[in-house]
PDB file of all heavy atoms in Angstrom:
ATOM      1  N   ASN A 423      10.542  32.373  -4.991  1.00 95.00           N
ATOM      2  CA  ASN A 423      11.624  33.164  -5.572  1.00 95.00           C
ATOM      3  C   ASN A 423      12.624  32.249  -6.257  1.00 95.00           C
ATOM      4  O   ASN A 423      13.057  31.249  -5.669  1.00 95.00           O
ATOM      5  CB  ASN A 423      12.347  33.971  -4.477  1.00 95.00           C
ATOM      6  CG  ASN A 423      11.418  34.915  -3.746  1.00 95.00           C
ATOM      7  OD1 ASN A 423      11.009  35.932  -4.278  1.00 95.00           O
ATOM      8  ND2 ASN A 423      11.070  34.564  -2.508  1.00 95.00           N
ATOM      9  N   ILE A 424      12.985  32.576  -7.482  1.00 95.00           N
ATOM     10  CA  ILE A 424      13.975  31.797  -8.216  1.00 95.00           C
ATOM     11  C   ILE A 424      15.345  32.447  -8.026  1.00 95.00           C
ATOM     12  O   ILE A 424      15.565  33.573  -8.481  1.00 95.00           O
ATOM     13  CB  ILE A 424      13.615  31.716  -9.710  1.00 95.00           C
ATOM     14  CG1 ILE A 424      12.254  31.032  -9.872  1.00 95.00           C
ATOM     15  CG2 ILE A 424      14.684  30.941 -10.481  1.00 95.00           C
ATOM     16  CD1 ILE A 424      11.717  31.051 -11.281  1.00 95.00           C
ATOM     17  N   LEU A 425      16.249  31.742  -7.346  1.00 94.00           N
ATOM     18  CA  LEU A 425      17.590  32.269  -7.094  1.00 94.00           C
ATOM     19  C   LEU A 425      18.521  31.988  -8.258  1.00 94.00           C
ATOM     20  O   LEU A 425      19.207  32.877  -8.748  1.00 94.00           O
ATOM     21  CB  LEU A 425      18.156  31.655  -5.802  1.00 94.00           C
ATOM     22  CG  LEU A 425      17.345  31.879  -4.521  1.00 94.00           C
ATOM     23  CD1 LEU A 425      18.050  31.231  -3.341  1.00 94.00           C
ATOM     24  CD2 LEU A 425      17.130  33.364  -4.262  1.00 94.00           C
ATOM     25  N   ASN A 426      18.550  30.736  -8.686  1.00 95.00           N
ATOM     26  CA  ASN A 426      19.360  30.331  -9.837  1.00 95.00           C
ATOM     27  C   ASN A 426      18.496  29.469 -10.744  1.00 95.00           C
ATOM     28  O   ASN A 426      17.958  28.445 -10.316  1.00 95.00           O
ATOM     29  CB  ASN A 426      20.599  29.542  -9.397  1.00 95.00           C
ATOM     30  CG  ASN A 426      21.616  30.410  -8.677  1.00 95.00           C
ATOM     31  OD1 ASN A 426      22.067  31.402  -9.220  1.00 95.00           O
ATOM     32  ND2 ASN A 426      21.950  30.039  -7.449  1.00 95.00           N
ATOM     33  N   GLU A 427      18.381  29.892 -11.999  1.00 95.00           N
ATOM     34  CA  GLU A 427      17.562  29.148 -12.952  1.00 95.00           C
ATOM     35  C   GLU A 427      18.266  27.872 -13.365  1.00 95.00           C
ATOM     36  O   GLU A 427      19.505  27.830 -13.456  1.00 95.00           O
ATOM     37  CB  GLU A 427      17.288  30.028 -14.175  1.00 95.00           C
ATOM     38  CG  GLU A 427      16.235  29.465 -15.106  1.00 95.00           C
ATOM     39  CD  GLU A 427      14.889  29.272 -14.432  1.00 95.00           C
ATOM     40  OE1 GLU A 427      14.095  30.211 -14.374  1.00 95.00           O
ATOM     41  OE2 GLU A 427      14.644  28.132 -13.970  1.00 95.00           O
ATOM     42  N   GLY A 428      17.489  26.815 -13.572  1.00 94.00           N
ATOM     43  CA  GLY A 428      18.059  25.566 -14.078  1.00 94.00           C
ATOM     44  C   GLY A 428      18.623  25.766 -15.476  1.00 94.00           C
ATOM     45  O   GLY A 428      18.143  26.603 -16.243  1.00 94.00           O
ATOM     46  N   HIS A 429      19.653  24.993 -15.805  1.00 93.00           N
ATOM     47  CA  HIS A 429      20.295  25.195 -17.109  1.00 93.00           C
ATOM     48  C   HIS A 429      19.744  24.297 -18.208  1.00 93.00           C
ATOM     49  O   HIS A 429      20.119  24.452 -19.379  1.00 93.00           O
ATOM     50  CB  HIS A 429      21.820  25.022 -16.993  1.00 93.00           C
ATOM     51  CG  HIS A 429      22.254  23.702 -16.436  1.00 93.00           C
ATOM     52  ND1 HIS A 429      22.152  22.528 -17.129  1.00 93.00           N
ATOM     53  CD2 HIS A 429      22.810  23.384 -15.237  1.00 93.00           C
ATOM     54  CE1 HIS A 429      22.621  21.538 -16.394  1.00 93.00           C
ATOM     55  NE2 HIS A 429      23.025  22.025 -15.234  1.00 93.00           N
ATOM     56  N   SER A 430      18.855  23.363 -17.867  1.00 94.00           N
ATOM     57  CA  SER A 430      18.305  22.462 -18.891  1.00 94.00           C
ATOM     58  C   SER A 430      16.797  22.645 -19.009  1.00 94.00           C
ATOM     59  O   SER A 430      16.063  22.505 -18.029  1.00 94.00           O
ATOM     60  CB  SER A 430      18.608  21.004 -18.547  1.00 94.00           C
ATOM     61  OG  SER A 430      19.996  20.762 -18.539  1.00 94.00           O
ATOM     62  N   MET A 431      16.339  22.954 -20.219  1.00 95.00           N
ATOM     63  CA  MET A 431      14.898  23.062 -20.461  1.00 95.00           C
ATOM     64  C   MET A 431      14.250  21.676 -20.437  1.00 95.00           C
ATOM     65  O   MET A 431      14.845  20.696 -20.867  1.00 95.00           O
ATOM     66  CB  MET A 431      14.626  23.724 -21.807  1.00 95.00           C
ATOM     67  CG  MET A 431      14.829  25.220 -21.831  1.00 95.00           C
ATOM     68  SD  MET A 431      14.143  25.919 -23.365  1.00 95.00           S
ATOM     69  CE  MET A 431      14.632  27.639 -23.166  1.00 95.00           C
ATOM     70  N   LYS A 432      13.021  21.635 -19.948  1.00 96.00           N
ATOM     71  CA  LYS A 432      12.258  20.396 -19.937  1.00 96.00           C
ATOM     72  C   LYS A 432      11.011  20.475 -20.818  1.00 96.00           C
ATOM     73  O   LYS A 432      10.440  19.440 -21.166  1.00 96.00           O
ATOM     74  CB  LYS A 432      11.868  20.037 -18.495  1.00 96.00           C
ATOM     75  CG  LYS A 432      13.075  19.743 -17.608  1.00 96.00           C
ATOM     76  CD  LYS A 432      12.705  19.611 -16.142  1.00 96.00           C
ATOM     77  CE  LYS A 432      11.872  18.400 -15.852  1.00 96.00           C
ATOM     78  NZ  LYS A 432      11.637  18.216 -14.395  1.00 96.00           N
ATOM     79  N   PHE A 433      10.590  21.693 -21.150  1.00 97.00           N
ATOM     80  CA  PHE A 433       9.443  21.882 -22.034  1.00 97.00           C
ATOM     81  C   PHE A 433       9.982  22.196 -23.425  1.00 97.00           C
ATOM     82  O   PHE A 433      10.398  23.324 -23.717  1.00 97.00           O
ATOM     83  CB  PHE A 433       8.533  22.978 -21.502  1.00 97.00           C
ATOM     84  CG  PHE A 433       7.776  22.555 -20.272  1.00 97.00           C
ATOM     85  CD1 PHE A 433       8.347  22.677 -19.017  1.00 97.00           C
ATOM     86  CD2 PHE A 433       6.514  21.992 -20.372  1.00 97.00           C
ATOM     87  CE1 PHE A 433       7.667  22.267 -17.881  1.00 97.00           C
ATOM     88  CE2 PHE A 433       5.819  21.576 -19.245  1.00 97.00           C
ATOM     89  CZ  PHE A 433       6.402  21.709 -17.990  1.00 97.00           C
ATOM     90  N   LEU A 434      10.019  21.152 -24.261  1.00 97.00           N
ATOM     91  CA  LEU A 434      10.743  21.189 -25.528  1.00 97.00           C
ATOM     92  C   LEU A 434       9.798  21.159 -26.725  1.00 97.00           C
ATOM     93  O   LEU A 434       8.633  20.773 -26.611  1.00 97.00           O
ATOM     94  CB  LEU A 434      11.684  19.979 -25.612  1.00 97.00           C
ATOM     95  CG  LEU A 434      12.628  19.757 -24.418  1.00 97.00           C
ATOM     96  CD1 LEU A 434      13.409  18.472 -24.603  1.00 97.00           C
ATOM     97  CD2 LEU A 434      13.572  20.950 -24.251  1.00 97.00           C
ATOM     98  N   GLY A 435      10.355  21.531 -27.871  1.00 95.00           N
ATOM     99  CA  GLY A 435       9.580  21.440 -29.104  1.00 95.00           C
ATOM    100  C   GLY A 435       9.222  20.014 -29.442  1.00 95.00           C
ATOM    101  O   GLY A 435       8.142  19.722 -29.960  1.00 95.00           O
ATOM    102  N   GLN A 436      10.133  19.079 -29.126  1.00 95.00           N
ATOM    103  CA  GLN A 436       9.891  17.659 -29.379  1.00 95.00           C
ATOM    104  C   GLN A 436      10.657  16.845 -28.345  1.00 95.00           C
ATOM    105  O   GLN A 436      11.838  17.115 -28.074  1.00 95.00           O
ATOM    106  CB  GLN A 436      10.356  17.275 -30.785  1.00 95.00           C
ATOM    107  CG  GLN A 436      10.093  15.823 -31.150  1.00 95.00           C
ATOM    108  CD  GLN A 436      10.473  15.521 -32.593  1.00 95.00           C
ATOM    109  OE1 GLN A 436      10.650  16.420 -33.403  1.00 95.00           O
ATOM    110  NE2 GLN A 436      10.592  14.248 -32.915  1.00 95.00           N
ATOM    111  N   VAL A 437      10.016  15.859 -27.753  1.00 96.00           N
ATOM    112  CA  VAL A 437      10.686  15.011 -26.768  1.00 96.00           C
ATOM    113  C   VAL A 437      11.564  13.984 -27.480  1.00 96.00           C
ATOM    114  O   VAL A 437      11.328  13.636 -28.640  1.00 96.00           O
ATOM    115  CB  VAL A 437       9.664  14.284 -25.856  1.00 96.00           C
ATOM    116  CG1 VAL A 437       8.872  15.300 -25.036  1.00 96.00           C
ATOM    117  CG2 VAL A 437       8.717  13.410 -26.672  1.00 96.00           C
ATOM    118  N   ASP A 438      12.603  13.506 -26.778  1.00 94.00           N
ATOM    119  CA  ASP A 438      13.511  12.522 -27.373  1.00 94.00           C
ATOM    120  C   ASP A 438      12.826  11.177 -27.603  1.00 94.00           C
ATOM    121  O   ASP A 438      13.155  10.456 -28.547  1.00 94.00           O
ATOM    122  CB  ASP A 438      14.734  12.310 -26.462  1.00 94.00           C
ATOM    123  CG  ASP A 438      15.633  13.530 -26.400  1.00 94.00           C
ATOM    124  OD1 ASP A 438      15.447  14.439 -27.225  1.00 94.00           O
ATOM    125  OD2 ASP A 438      16.522  13.574 -25.525  1.00 94.00           O
ATOM    126  N   GLN A 439      11.897  10.837 -26.724  1.00 94.00           N
ATOM    127  CA  GLN A 439      11.212   9.543 -26.816  1.00 94.00           C
ATOM    128  C   GLN A 439       9.835   9.701 -26.196  1.00 94.00           C
ATOM    129  O   GLN A 439       9.670  10.417 -25.204  1.00 94.00           O
ATOM    130  CB  GLN A 439      12.021   8.471 -26.075  1.00 94.00           C
ATOM    131  CG  GLN A 439      11.514   7.057 -26.242  1.00 94.00           C
ATOM    132  CD  GLN A 439      12.452   6.025 -25.604  1.00 94.00           C
ATOM    133  OE1 GLN A 439      12.537   5.926 -24.383  1.00 94.00           O
ATOM    134  NE2 GLN A 439      13.163   5.267 -26.426  1.00 94.00           N
ATOM    135  N   ILE A 440       8.834   9.055 -26.766  1.00 95.00           N
ATOM    136  CA  ILE A 440       7.466   9.190 -26.246  1.00 95.00           C
ATOM    137  C   ILE A 440       7.173   8.056 -25.265  1.00 95.00           C
ATOM    138  O   ILE A 440       6.950   6.918 -25.650  1.00 95.00           O
ATOM    139  CB  ILE A 440       6.428   9.192 -27.385  1.00 95.00           C
ATOM    140  CG1 ILE A 440       6.659  10.384 -28.310  1.00 95.00           C
ATOM    141  CG2 ILE A 440       5.008   9.245 -26.805  1.00 95.00           C
ATOM    142  CD1 ILE A 440       5.734  10.424 -29.517  1.00 95.00           C
ATOM    143  N   THR A 441       7.194   8.391 -23.969  1.00 96.00           N
ATOM    144  CA  THR A 441       6.800   7.438 -22.936  1.00 96.00           C
ATOM    145  C   THR A 441       5.312   7.576 -22.622  1.00 96.00           C
ATOM    146  O   THR A 441       4.670   6.627 -22.183  1.00 96.00           O
ATOM    147  CB  THR A 441       7.607   7.665 -21.652  1.00 96.00           C
ATOM    148  OG1 THR A 441       8.940   8.096 -21.968  1.00 96.00           O
ATOM    149  CG2 THR A 441       7.707   6.393 -20.832  1.00 96.00           C
ATOM    150  N   PHE A 442       4.792   8.787 -22.825  1.00 96.00           N
ATOM    151  CA  PHE A 442       3.359   9.051 -22.634  1.00 96.00           C
ATOM    152  C   PHE A 442       2.886   9.908 -23.794  1.00 96.00           C
ATOM    153  O   PHE A 442       3.502  10.931 -24.123  1.00 96.00           O
ATOM    154  CB  PHE A 442       3.119   9.779 -21.303  1.00 96.00           C
ATOM    155  CG  PHE A 442       1.708  10.282 -21.134  1.00 96.00           C
ATOM    156  CD1 PHE A 442       0.679   9.417 -20.805  1.00 96.00           C
ATOM    157  CD2 PHE A 442       1.410  11.631 -21.310  1.00 96.00           C
ATOM    158  CE1 PHE A 442      -0.626   9.877 -20.656  1.00 96.00           C
ATOM    159  CE2 PHE A 442       0.121  12.102 -21.155  1.00 96.00           C
ATOM    160  CZ  PHE A 442      -0.900  11.221 -20.831  1.00 96.00           C
ATOM    161  N   SER A 443       1.795   9.505 -24.418  1.00 95.00           N
ATOM    162  CA  SER A 443       1.257  10.225 -25.572  1.00 95.00           C
ATOM    163  C   SER A 443       0.145  11.176 -25.144  1.00 95.00           C
ATOM    164  O   SER A 443      -0.934  10.737 -24.742  1.00 95.00           O
ATOM    165  CB  SER A 443       0.727   9.243 -26.619  1.00 95.00           C
ATOM    166  OG  SER A 443       0.027   9.928 -27.640  1.00 95.00           O
ATOM    167  N   GLY A 444       0.412  12.480 -25.238  1.00 96.00           N
ATOM    168  CA  GLY A 444      -0.611  13.471 -24.925  1.00 96.00           C
ATOM    169  C   GLY A 444      -1.809  13.405 -25.851  1.00 96.00           C
ATOM    170  O   GLY A 444      -2.960  13.421 -25.384  1.00 96.00           O
ATOM    171  N   PRO A 445      -1.603  13.327 -27.175  1.00 96.00           N
ATOM    172  CA  PRO A 445      -2.752  13.229 -28.083  1.00 96.00           C
ATOM    173  C   PRO A 445      -3.608  11.988 -27.831  1.00 96.00           C
ATOM    174  O   PRO A 445      -4.836  12.045 -27.908  1.00 96.00           O
ATOM    175  CB  PRO A 445      -2.091  13.185 -29.463  1.00 96.00           C
ATOM    176  CG  PRO A 445      -0.801  13.930 -29.288  1.00 96.00           C
ATOM    177  CD  PRO A 445      -0.346  13.569 -27.909  1.00 96.00           C
ATOM    178  N   PHE A 446      -2.971  10.847 -27.538  1.00 95.00           N
ATOM    179  CA  PHE A 446      -3.720   9.625 -27.254  1.00 95.00           C
ATOM    180  C   PHE A 446      -4.569   9.806 -25.996  1.00 95.00           C
ATOM    181  O   PHE A 446      -5.735   9.395 -25.943  1.00 95.00           O
ATOM    182  CB  PHE A 446      -2.756   8.450 -27.091  1.00 95.00           C
ATOM    183  CG  PHE A 446      -3.412   7.103 -27.016  1.00 95.00           C
ATOM    184  CD1 PHE A 446      -4.475   6.775 -27.833  1.00 95.00           C
ATOM    185  CD2 PHE A 446      -2.952   6.141 -26.122  1.00 95.00           C
ATOM    186  CE1 PHE A 446      -5.086   5.525 -27.780  1.00 95.00           C
ATOM    187  CE2 PHE A 446      -3.539   4.891 -26.051  1.00 95.00           C
ATOM    188  CZ  PHE A 446      -4.609   4.582 -26.874  1.00 95.00           C
ATOM    189  N   ALA A 447      -3.994  10.455 -24.966  1.00 95.00           N
ATOM    190  CA  ALA A 447      -4.743  10.720 -23.732  1.00 95.00           C
ATOM    191  C   ALA A 447      -5.932  11.634 -24.014  1.00 95.00           C
ATOM    192  O   ALA A 447      -7.024  11.433 -23.478  1.00 95.00           O
ATOM    193  CB  ALA A 447      -3.823  11.351 -22.689  1.00 95.00           C
ATOM    194  N   ALA A 448      -5.719  12.632 -24.868  1.00 95.00           N
ATOM    195  CA  ALA A 448      -6.818  13.540 -25.211  1.00 95.00           C
ATOM    196  C   ALA A 448      -7.930  12.803 -25.947  1.00 95.00           C
ATOM    197  O   ALA A 448      -9.121  13.046 -25.714  1.00 95.00           O
ATOM    198  CB  ALA A 448      -6.291  14.702 -26.052  1.00 95.00           C
ATOM    199  N   GLU A 449      -7.550  11.893 -26.843  1.00 94.00           N
ATOM    200  CA  GLU A 449      -8.544  11.093 -27.552  1.00 94.00           C
ATOM    201  C   GLU A 449      -9.366  10.241 -26.587  1.00 94.00           C
ATOM    202  O   GLU A 449     -10.563  10.027 -26.780  1.00 94.00           O
ATOM    203  CB  GLU A 449      -7.860  10.188 -28.576  1.00 94.00           C
ATOM    204  CG  GLU A 449      -7.280  10.912 -29.779  1.00 94.00           C
ATOM    205  CD  GLU A 449      -6.496   9.973 -30.676  1.00 94.00           C
ATOM    206  OE1 GLU A 449      -6.749   8.748 -30.601  1.00 94.00           O
ATOM    207  OE2 GLU A 449      -5.636  10.446 -31.435  1.00 94.00           O
ATOM    208  N   MET A 450      -8.699   9.742 -25.548  1.00 92.00           N
ATOM    209  CA  MET A 450      -9.367   8.910 -24.552  1.00 92.00           C
ATOM    210  C   MET A 450     -10.107   9.736 -23.503  1.00 92.00           C
ATOM    211  O   MET A 450     -10.701   9.196 -22.572  1.00 92.00           O
ATOM    212  CB  MET A 450      -8.334   8.014 -23.837  1.00 92.00           C
ATOM    213  CG  MET A 450      -7.620   7.017 -24.742  1.00 92.00           C
ATOM    214  SD  MET A 450      -8.737   5.773 -25.452  1.00 92.00           S
ATOM    215  CE  MET A 450      -8.865   6.384 -27.131  1.00 92.00           C
ATOM    216  N   GLU A 451     -10.027  11.062 -23.626  1.00 92.00           N
ATOM    217  CA  GLU A 451     -10.661  11.999 -22.695  1.00 92.00           C
ATOM    218  C   GLU A 451     -10.136  11.813 -21.268  1.00 92.00           C
ATOM    219  O   GLU A 451     -10.866  11.969 -20.281  1.00 92.00           O
ATOM    220  CB  GLU A 451     -12.184  11.879 -22.734  1.00 92.00           C
ATOM    221  CG  GLU A 451     -12.771  12.212 -24.108  1.00 92.00           C
ATOM    222  CD  GLU A 451     -14.291  12.184 -24.125  1.00 92.00           C
ATOM    223  OE1 GLU A 451     -14.890  11.649 -23.173  1.00 92.00           O
ATOM    224  OE2 GLU A 451     -14.869  12.698 -25.097  1.00 92.00           O
ATOM    225  N   GLN A 452      -8.860  11.493 -21.167  1.00 95.00           N
ATOM    226  CA  GLN A 452      -8.216  11.355 -19.864  1.00 95.00           C
ATOM    227  C   GLN A 452      -7.788  12.740 -19.369  1.00 95.00           C
ATOM    228  O   GLN A 452      -7.222  13.531 -20.115  1.00 95.00           O
ATOM    229  CB  GLN A 452      -6.984  10.449 -19.972  1.00 95.00           C
ATOM    230  CG  GLN A 452      -6.262  10.215 -18.648  1.00 95.00           C
ATOM    231  CD  GLN A 452      -4.987   9.412 -18.849  1.00 95.00           C
ATOM    232  OE1 GLN A 452      -4.345   9.493 -19.897  1.00 95.00           O
ATOM    233  NE2 GLN A 452      -4.600   8.635 -17.838  1.00 95.00           N
ATOM    234  N   SER A 453      -8.067  13.031 -18.109  1.00 95.00           N
ATOM    235  CA  SER A 453      -7.675  14.304 -17.521  1.00 95.00           C
ATOM    236  C   SER A 453      -6.206  14.236 -17.105  1.00 95.00           C
ATOM    237  O   SER A 453      -5.795  13.350 -16.346  1.00 95.00           O
ATOM    238  CB  SER A 453      -8.548  14.610 -16.296  1.00 95.00           C
ATOM    239  OG  SER A 453      -8.074  15.756 -15.634  1.00 95.00           O
ATOM    240  N   VAL A 454      -5.391  15.173 -17.594  1.00 97.00           N
ATOM    241  CA  VAL A 454      -3.952  15.162 -17.313  1.00 97.00           C
ATOM    242  C   VAL A 454      -3.501  16.557 -16.901  1.00 97.00           C
ATOM    243  O   VAL A 454      -3.749  17.541 -17.609  1.00 97.00           O
ATOM    244  CB  VAL A 454      -3.133  14.716 -18.548  1.00 97.00           C
ATOM    245  CG1 VAL A 454      -1.654  14.603 -18.189  1.00 97.00           C
ATOM    246  CG2 VAL A 454      -3.656  13.395 -19.101  1.00 97.00           C
ATOM    247  N   LEU A 455      -2.844  16.654 -15.744  1.00 98.00           N
ATOM    248  CA  LEU A 455      -2.218  17.888 -15.274  1.00 98.00           C
ATOM    249  C   LEU A 455      -0.707  17.712 -15.248  1.00 98.00           C
ATOM    250  O   LEU A 455      -0.198  16.611 -15.007  1.00 98.00           O
ATOM    251  CB  LEU A 455      -2.692  18.255 -13.866  1.00 98.00           C
ATOM    252  CG  LEU A 455      -4.143  18.688 -13.671  1.00 98.00           C
ATOM    253  CD1 LEU A 455      -4.379  19.073 -12.219  1.00 98.00           C
ATOM    254  CD2 LEU A 455      -4.498  19.849 -14.585  1.00 98.00           C
ATOM    255  N   TYR A 456       0.019  18.813 -15.469  1.00 98.00           N
ATOM    256  CA  TYR A 456       1.479  18.839 -15.406  1.00 98.00           C
ATOM    257  C   TYR A 456       1.833  19.877 -14.340  1.00 98.00           C
ATOM    258  O   TYR A 456       1.650  21.093 -14.544  1.00 98.00           O
ATOM    259  CB  TYR A 456       2.069  19.239 -16.757  1.00 98.00           C
ATOM    260  CG  TYR A 456       1.604  18.384 -17.932  1.00 98.00           C
ATOM    261  CD1 TYR A 456       0.310  18.525 -18.451  1.00 98.00           C
ATOM    262  CD2 TYR A 456       2.448  17.452 -18.526  1.00 98.00           C
ATOM    263  CE1 TYR A 456      -0.123  17.753 -19.523  1.00 98.00           C
ATOM    264  CE2 TYR A 456       2.018  16.678 -19.606  1.00 98.00           C
ATOM    265  CZ  TYR A 456       0.734  16.836 -20.096  1.00 98.00           C
ATOM    266  OH  TYR A 456       0.320  16.076 -21.164  1.00 98.00           O
ATOM    267  N   VAL A 457       2.307  19.419 -13.190  1.00 98.00           N
ATOM    268  CA  VAL A 457       2.508  20.292 -12.038  1.00 98.00           C
ATOM    269  C   VAL A 457       4.001  20.553 -11.829  1.00 98.00           C
ATOM    270  O   VAL A 457       4.800  19.608 -11.701  1.00 98.00           O
ATOM    271  CB  VAL A 457       1.904  19.667 -10.762  1.00 98.00           C
ATOM    272  CG1 VAL A 457       2.219  20.525  -9.532  1.00 98.00           C
ATOM    273  CG2 VAL A 457       0.395  19.500 -10.918  1.00 98.00           C
ATOM    274  N   THR A 458       4.375  21.830 -11.785  1.00 97.00           N
ATOM    275  CA  THR A 458       5.747  22.227 -11.462  1.00 97.00           C
ATOM    276  C   THR A 458       5.701  23.160 -10.259  1.00 97.00           C
ATOM    277  O   THR A 458       4.627  23.501  -9.753  1.00 97.00           O
ATOM    278  CB  THR A 458       6.425  22.955 -12.638  1.00 97.00           C
ATOM    279  OG1 THR A 458       5.919  24.298 -12.726  1.00 97.00           O
ATOM    280  CG2 THR A 458       6.167  22.234 -13.951  1.00 97.00           C
ATOM    281  N   GLU A 459       6.881  23.570  -9.796  1.00 97.00           N
ATOM    282  CA  GLU A 459       6.937  24.461  -8.641  1.00 97.00           C
ATOM    283  C   GLU A 459       6.409  25.860  -8.947  1.00 97.00           C
ATOM    284  O   GLU A 459       5.983  26.591  -8.055  1.00 97.00           O
ATOM    285  CB  GLU A 459       8.380  24.551  -8.111  1.00 97.00           C
ATOM    286  CG  GLU A 459       9.318  25.471  -8.873  1.00 97.00           C
ATOM    287  CD  GLU A 459       9.760  24.944 -10.232  1.00 97.00           C
ATOM    288  OE1 GLU A 459       9.524  23.736 -10.518  1.00 97.00           O
ATOM    289  OE2 GLU A 459      10.367  25.707 -11.002  1.00 97.00           O
ATOM    290  N   ARG A 460       6.412  26.257 -10.231  1.00 97.00           N
ATOM    291  CA  ARG A 460       6.044  27.629 -10.585  1.00 97.00           C
ATOM    292  C   ARG A 460       4.754  27.754 -11.388  1.00 97.00           C
ATOM    293  O   ARG A 460       4.216  28.853 -11.517  1.00 97.00           O
ATOM    294  CB  ARG A 460       7.182  28.298 -11.346  1.00 97.00           C
ATOM    295  CG  ARG A 460       7.448  27.748 -12.739  1.00 97.00           C
ATOM    296  CD  ARG A 460       8.678  28.371 -13.377  1.00 97.00           C
ATOM    297  NE  ARG A 460       9.899  27.848 -12.782  1.00 97.00           N
ATOM    298  CZ  ARG A 460      11.123  28.167 -13.188  1.00 97.00           C
ATOM    299  NH1 ARG A 460      11.280  29.028 -14.181  1.00 97.00           N
ATOM    300  NH2 ARG A 460      12.168  27.645 -12.602  1.00 97.00           N
ATOM    301  N   CYS A 461       4.267  26.644 -11.936  1.00 98.00           N
ATOM    302  CA  CYS A 461       3.049  26.733 -12.747  1.00 98.00           C
ATOM    303  C   CYS A 461       2.452  25.351 -12.955  1.00 98.00           C
ATOM    304  O   CYS A 461       3.082  24.326 -12.661  1.00 98.00           O
ATOM    305  CB  CYS A 461       3.335  27.389 -14.098  1.00 98.00           C
ATOM    306  SG  CYS A 461       4.534  26.505 -15.118  1.00 98.00           S
ATOM    307  N   VAL A 462       1.225  25.356 -13.483  1.00 98.00           N
ATOM    308  CA  VAL A 462       0.497  24.119 -13.773  1.00 98.00           C
ATOM    309  C   VAL A 462      -0.064  24.208 -15.187  1.00 98.00           C
ATOM    310  O   VAL A 462      -0.615  25.240 -15.580  1.00 98.00           O
ATOM    311  CB  VAL A 462      -0.652  23.883 -12.766  1.00 98.00           C
ATOM    312  CG1 VAL A 462      -1.409  22.597 -13.099  1.00 98.00           C
ATOM    313  CG2 VAL A 462      -0.121  23.834 -11.340  1.00 98.00           C
TER     314      VAL A 462
END
Side-chain angles (χ1 to χ4, degrees):
N423 301 287
I424 299 173
L425 302 181
N426 290 303
E427 191 60 86
H429 57 71
S430 297
M431 284 192 184
K432 296 171 68 174
F433 288 86
L434 308 176
Q436 182 176 344
V437 296
D438 292 348
Q439 187 174 72
I440 298 176
T441 326
F442 171 77
S443 171
F446 189 41
E449 289 174 22
M450 297 295 105
E451 298 184 345
Q452 182 185 30
S453 173
V454 185
L455 292 183
Y456 306 74
V457 175
T458 76
E459 79 287 348
R460 69 186 74 177
C461 61
V462 179

